[in-house]
Amino acid sequence: MALAKLGAVVLDCPDPLALAEFYAAVVGGAPSKGDEGWYDLEGHGGTPLAFQEAPDFVPPAWPRPDRSQQFHLDLTVDDLDAAEKEVLKLGATVLEADDRARTWRVYADPAGHPFCLCAC
């Protein structure tokens, strides 16, 4: 029997509203202001996402063992090429997407958190 259930994935970042808006454009939903320095992403139908202000945030470096990625999100998409175009327009950057034969590609969100687009 589980001791707990996952309540939310919370991302530290310098601008919680901006990052919540980025993910709202990627997975749907809308940012909702929570406590000071906190936004939730509501209405997207997946695992709850939240964004917490961290003024001294240092983004992870991927892939580097001296500044580990800490975690990453896997986002399932129907069309890798179309999804890639959209996340890049929204402000994502490519971390590893050269191998076009793979079923996944790695990007960083505007705050520097790694995430993968994965073909379903």
Side-chain angles (χ1 to χ4, degrees), residues 36-113:
E36 184 65 30
W38 184 282
Y39 279 84
D40 293 301
L41 186 58
E42 296 185 350
H44 64 87
T47 300
L49 288 174
F51 308 90
Q52 173 177 275
E53 184 175 13
D56 296 326
F57 175 74
V58 176
W62 188 91
R64 281 191 22 208
D66 61 329
R67 282 187 38 212
S68 71
Q69 68 176 322
Q70 300 162 11
F71 85 103
H72 73 271
L73 300 172
D74 282 347
L75 305 175
T76 304
V77 300
D78 292 325
D79 183 327
L80 280 172
D81 293 330
E84 176 181 68
K85 286 178 187 174
E86 292 303 313
V87 299
L88 293 176
K89 282 197 288 190
L90 292 167
T93 56
V94 175
L95 295 178
E96 186 178 318
D98 293 337
D99 185 349
R100 304 310 252 187
R102 285 192 316 211
T103 58
W104 52 273
R105 299 175 190 163
V106 186
Y107 306 87
D109 67 26
H113 303 102

Side-chain angles (χ1 to χ4, degrees), residues 16-37:
L17 177 57
L19 198 57
E21 289 172 337
F22 171 83
Y23 279 103
V26 174
V27 301
S32 172
K33 186 161 177 39
D35 293 336
E36 184 65 30

